[in-house]
Coordinates of all heavy atoms in Angstrom, one line a residue:
T1 N -21.3 3.0 -13.7 CA -22.2 3.9 -14.4 C -22.1 5.3 -13.9 O -21.8 5.5 -12.8 CB -23.7 3.3 -14.3 OG1 -24.6 4.1 -15.1 CG2 -24.2 3.4 -12.8
V2 N -22.5 6.2 -14.8 CA -22.4 7.7 -14.4 C -23.9 8.1 -14.1 O -24.7 8.0 -15.0 CB -21.8 8.5 -15.5 CG1 -21.9 10.0 -15.1 CG2 -20.4 8.1 -15.8
L3 N -24.1 8.6 -12.9 CA -25.4 9.0 -12.5 C -25.6 10.5 -12.6 O -24.7 11.2 -12.2 CB -25.7 8.5 -11.1 CG -26.0 7.0 -10.8 CD1 -27.1 6.5 -11.7 CD2 -24.7 6.2 -11.0
S4 N -26.7 10.9 -13.0 CA -27.0 12.3 -13.2 C -27.9 12.8 -12.0 O -28.9 12.1 -11.7 CB -27.7 12.6 -14.5 OG -28.0 14.0 -14.7
Y5 N -27.6 13.9 -11.5 CA -28.4 14.6 -10.5 C -28.3 16.1 -10.7 O -27.5 16.5 -11.5 CB -28.0 14.1 -9.0 CG -26.6 14.3 -8.7 CD1 -26.1 15.4 -8.1 CD2 -25.7 13.3 -9.0 CE1 -24.7 15.5 -7.8 CE2 -24.3 13.4 -8.8 CZ -23.9 14.5 -8.1 OH -22.5 14.6 -7.8
R6 N -29.1 16.8 -10.0 CA -29.3 18.2 -10.3 C -28.0 19.0 -10.3 O -27.6 19.7 -11.2 CB -30.3 18.9 -9.3 CG -30.5 20.4 -9.6 CD -31.5 21.0 -8.7 NE -31.6 22.4 -8.9 CZ -32.4 23.2 -8.2 NH1 -33.2 22.7 -7.2 NH2 -32.4 24.5 -8.4
S7 N -27.2 18.9 -9.2 CA -26.0 19.7 -9.1 C -25.0 19.3 -10.1 O -24.2 20.1 -10.6 CB -25.4 19.6 -7.7 OG -24.4 20.5 -7.5
E8 N -24.9 18.0 -10.4 CA -24.0 17.5 -11.4 C -24.3 18.0 -12.8 O -23.5 18.4 -13.5 CB -24.1 15.9 -11.4 CG -23.1 15.2 -12.3 CD -23.7 14.7 -13.6 OE1 -24.9 14.9 -13.8 OE2 -23.0 14.1 -14.4
R9 N -25.6 18.1 -13.1 CA -26.0 18.7 -14.4 C -25.7 20.1 -14.5 O -25.2 20.6 -15.5 CB -27.5 18.4 -14.6 CG -27.9 17.0 -14.8 CD -29.4 16.8 -15.3 NE -30.3 17.3 -14.3 CZ -30.8 16.5 -13.3 NH1 -30.5 15.3 -13.2 NH2 -31.7 17.0 -12.4
E10 N -26.0 20.9 -13.4 CA -25.6 22.3 -13.4 C -24.1 22.5 -13.6 O -23.7 23.4 -14.4 CB -26.1 22.9 -12.1 CG -27.6 23.0 -11.9 CD -28.0 23.6 -10.5 OE1 -27.1 23.7 -9.7 OE2 -29.2 23.9 -10.3
A11 N -23.3 21.7 -12.9 CA -21.9 21.8 -13.0 C -21.4 21.5 -14.4 O -20.5 22.2 -15.0 CB -21.2 20.9 -12.0
L12 N -22.0 20.5 -15.1 CA -21.6 20.1 -16.4 C -22.0 21.3 -17.4 O -21.2 21.6 -18.3 CB -22.2 18.8 -16.9 CG -21.7 17.6 -16.2 CD1 -22.5 16.3 -16.7 CD2 -20.2 17.3 -16.6
D13 N -23.1 21.9 -17.2 CA -23.5 23.0 -18.0 C -22.5 24.1 -17.9 O -22.2 24.8 -18.9 CB -24.9 23.5 -17.6 CG -26.0 22.5 -18.1 OD1 -25.7 21.7 -19.0 OD2 -27.2 22.6 -17.6
I14 N -22.1 24.4 -16.6 CA -21.2 25.5 -16.4 C -19.8 25.2 -17.0 O -19.2 26.1 -17.6 CB -21.1 25.7 -14.9 CG1 -22.4 26.5 -14.4 CG2 -19.8 26.5 -14.5 CD1 -22.5 26.5 -12.9
L15 N -19.4 24.0 -16.9 CA -18.1 23.6 -17.5 C -18.2 23.8 -19.0 O -17.2 24.3 -19.7 CB -17.7 22.2 -17.1 CG -17.3 22.0 -15.7 CD1 -17.2 20.5 -15.4 CD2 -16.0 22.7 -15.3
G16 N -19.3 23.3 -19.6 CA -19.5 23.5 -21.0 C -19.5 25.0 -21.5 O -18.9 25.3 -22.5
D17 N -20.2 25.8 -20.7 CA -20.3 27.2 -20.9 C -18.9 27.8 -20.8 O -18.5 28.7 -21.6 CB -21.2 27.9 -20.0 CG -21.6 29.3 -20.4 OD1 -21.8 29.5 -21.6 OD2 -21.6 30.2 -19.5
T18 N -18.1 27.4 -19.9 CA -16.7 27.9 -19.7 C -15.9 27.6 -20.9 O -15.2 28.5 -21.4 CB -16.1 27.3 -18.4 OG1 -16.9 27.7 -17.3 CG2 -14.7 27.8 -18.3
C19 N -16.0 26.4 -21.4 CA -15.2 26.0 -22.6 C -15.7 26.6 -23.9 O -14.9 26.8 -24.8 CB -15.1 24.5 -22.7 SG -14.0 23.7 -21.5
A20 N -16.9 27.0 -23.9 CA -17.5 27.7 -25.1 C -17.1 29.1 -25.2 O -17.2 29.8 -26.2 CB -19.0 27.5 -25.1
D21 N -16.7 29.7 -24.0 CA -16.4 31.1 -23.9 C -14.9 31.3 -24.2 O -14.1 30.7 -23.6 CB -16.8 31.7 -22.6 CG -16.7 33.2 -22.5 OD1 -15.6 33.8 -22.7 OD2 -17.8 33.8 -22.3
R22 N -14.6 32.2 -25.1 CA -13.2 32.5 -25.4 C -12.4 32.9 -24.2 O -11.1 32.7 -24.1 CB -13.1 33.5 -26.5 CG -11.7 33.7 -27.1 CD -11.4 32.5 -28.1 NE -10.0 32.5 -28.5 CZ -9.5 31.8 -29.5 NH1 -10.3 31.0 -30.2 NH2 -8.3 31.8 -29.8
N23 N -13.0 33.5 -23.2 CA -12.3 34.0 -22.0 C -12.7 33.2 -20.8 O -12.5 33.7 -19.7 CB -12.6 35.5 -21.8 CG -12.1 36.3 -23.0 OD1 -11.0 36.3 -23.4 ND2 -13.1 37.1 -23.5
G24 N -13.2 32.0 -21.0 CA -13.8 31.2 -19.9 C -12.8 30.9 -18.8 O -11.7 30.4 -19.0
L25 N -13.2 31.1 -17.6 CA -12.5 30.7 -16.4 C -13.6 30.4 -15.3 O -14.5 31.2 -15.1 CB -11.6 31.7 -15.8 CG -10.6 31.3 -14.7 CD1 -9.3 32.1 -14.8 CD2 -11.3 31.5 -13.3
C26 N -13.5 29.2 -14.7 CA -14.6 28.7 -13.8 C -14.0 28.3 -12.5 O -12.9 27.6 -12.5 CB -15.3 27.5 -14.5 SG -16.4 26.6 -13.4
L27 N -14.6 28.6 -11.4 CA -14.3 28.1 -10.1 C -15.3 27.0 -9.8 O -16.5 27.2 -9.8 CB -14.4 29.2 -9.1 CG -13.6 30.5 -9.3 CD1 -13.8 31.4 -8.2 CD2 -12.2 30.2 -9.6
L28 N -14.8 25.8 -9.5 CA -15.6 24.6 -9.1 C -15.2 24.2 -7.7 O -14.1 23.7 -7.5 CB -15.4 23.5 -10.1 CG -16.2 22.2 -9.8 CD1 -17.7 22.4 -10.0 CD2 -15.8 21.1 -10.7
Q29 N -16.2 24.4 -6.8 CA -15.9 24.1 -5.4 C -16.8 23.1 -4.8 O -18.0 23.1 -5.1 CB -15.9 25.4 -4.6 CG -14.8 26.4 -5.0 CD -15.5 27.8 -5.3 OE1 -15.1 28.8 -4.7 NE2 -16.4 27.9 -6.3
G30 N -16.3 22.2 -3.9 CA -17.1 21.3 -3.2 C -16.3 20.5 -2.2 O -15.1 20.3 -2.5
P31 N -16.8 20.1 -1.1 CA -16.0 19.4 -0.1 C -15.4 18.1 -0.6 O -15.8 17.6 -1.6 CB -17.0 19.2 1.1 CG -18.3 19.2 0.4 CD -18.2 20.2 -0.7
V32 N -14.5 17.5 0.2 CA -13.9 16.2 -0.1 C -15.0 15.2 -0.3 O -16.0 15.2 0.4 CB -13.0 15.8 1.0 CG1 -12.5 14.4 0.8 CG2 -11.8 16.7 1.2
L33 N -14.9 14.4 -1.4 CA -15.9 13.3 -1.7 C -17.2 13.9 -2.2 O -18.3 13.2 -2.1 CB -16.1 12.4 -0.5 CG -14.9 11.6 -0.1 CD1 -15.2 10.8 1.2 CD2 -14.3 10.7 -1.2
S34 N -17.2 15.1 -2.7 CA -18.4 15.7 -3.3 C -18.6 15.4 -4.7 O -19.6 15.7 -5.3 CB -18.4 17.2 -3.1 OG -17.3 17.8 -3.8
G35 N -17.6 14.7 -5.3 CA -17.8 14.3 -6.7 C -17.1 15.1 -7.8 O -17.3 15.0 -9.0
K36 N -16.2 16.0 -7.3 CA -15.5 17.0 -8.3 C -14.7 16.2 -9.3 O -14.8 16.5 -10.5 CB -14.7 18.0 -7.5 CG -15.4 18.9 -6.6 CD -14.5 19.9 -6.0 CE -13.4 19.3 -5.2 NZ -13.8 18.5 -4.1
S37 N -13.8 15.3 -8.8 CA -12.9 14.7 -9.7 C -13.6 13.8 -10.8 O -13.3 13.8 -12.0 CB -11.9 13.8 -9.0 OG -11.0 14.6 -8.2
T38 N -14.6 13.1 -10.3 CA -15.4 12.3 -11.2 C -16.1 13.1 -12.3 O -16.1 12.8 -13.5 CB -16.5 11.4 -10.5 OG1 -15.8 10.6 -9.6 CG2 -17.3 10.6 -11.4
L39 N -16.7 14.2 -11.8 CA -17.4 15.1 -12.7 C -16.4 15.7 -13.7 O -16.7 15.8 -14.9 CB -18.0 16.3 -11.9 CG -19.0 17.2 -12.5 CD1 -20.0 17.7 -11.5 CD2 -18.2 18.4 -13.1
L40 N -15.2 16.2 -13.3 CA -14.3 16.8 -14.2 C -13.8 15.8 -15.2 O -13.7 16.1 -16.4 CB -13.1 17.3 -13.4 CG -13.3 18.6 -12.6 CD1 -12.2 18.8 -11.6 CD2 -13.5 19.8 -13.5
H41 N -13.5 14.5 -14.8 CA -13.0 13.6 -15.8 C -14.1 13.1 -16.8 O -13.9 12.9 -18.0 CB -12.5 12.3 -15.1 CG -11.1 12.5 -14.5 ND1 -10.9 13.1 -13.2 CD2 -9.9 12.3 -15.0 CE1 -9.6 13.2 -13.0 NE2 -9.0 12.7 -14.0
N42 N -15.4 13.1 -16.3 CA -16.5 12.8 -17.2 C -16.7 13.9 -18.2 O -16.9 13.7 -19.4 CB -17.8 12.6 -16.4 CG -17.8 11.3 -15.6 OD1 -17.1 10.4 -15.9 ND2 -18.6 11.2 -14.6
F43 N -16.5 15.2 -17.8 CA -16.6 16.3 -18.7 C -15.5 16.3 -19.7 O -15.7 16.4 -20.9 CB -16.6 17.6 -17.9 CG -16.5 18.8 -18.8 CD1 -17.6 19.2 -19.6 CD2 -15.3 19.5 -19.0 CE1 -17.6 20.3 -20.4 CE2 -15.3 20.6 -19.8 CZ -16.4 21.0 -20.6
I44 N -14.3 16.1 -19.3 CA -13.1 16.1 -20.2 C -13.3 15.0 -21.2 O -12.9 15.1 -22.4 CB -11.8 15.9 -19.4 CG1 -11.5 17.2 -18.6 CG2 -10.6 15.6 -20.3 CD1 -10.4 17.1 -17.6
A45 N -13.9 13.8 -20.9 CA -14.1 12.7 -21.8 C -15.0 13.1 -22.9 O -15.1 12.5 -24.0 CB -14.7 11.5 -21.1
T46 N -15.9 14.2 -22.8 CA -16.8 14.6 -23.8 C -16.2 15.6 -24.8 O -16.8 15.9 -25.8 CB -18.0 15.3 -23.2 OG1 -17.7 16.5 -22.5 CG2 -18.7 14.4 -22.1

């Protein structure tokens, strides 16, 4: 199951905003095992 929490929601909003912007470029940073890959793949699936 995919769990939602505050930072994950903020990151998804930012990724969505990046893709909605014609010039969008986003830096997504977090330490190892912070959930970046899961978050990115969940976003791409949408």
Side-chain angles (χ1 to χ4, degrees):
T1 183
V2 177
L3 286 307
S4 178
Y5 51 96
R6 179 179 176 180
S7 189
E8 184 256 4
R9 292 191 296 271
E10 291 177 350
L12 288 175
D13 286 345
I14 283 168
L15 291 170
D17 191 43
T18 299
C19 284
D21 192 297
R22 191 75 191 191
N23 300 305
L25 189 150
C26 168
L27 308 181
L28 178 66
Q29 297 128 119
V32 175
L33 298 176
S34 61
K36 296 185 300 302
S37 293
T38 299
L39 190 149
L40 286 168
H41 284 88
N42 288 340
F43 172 73
I44 290 171
T46 67

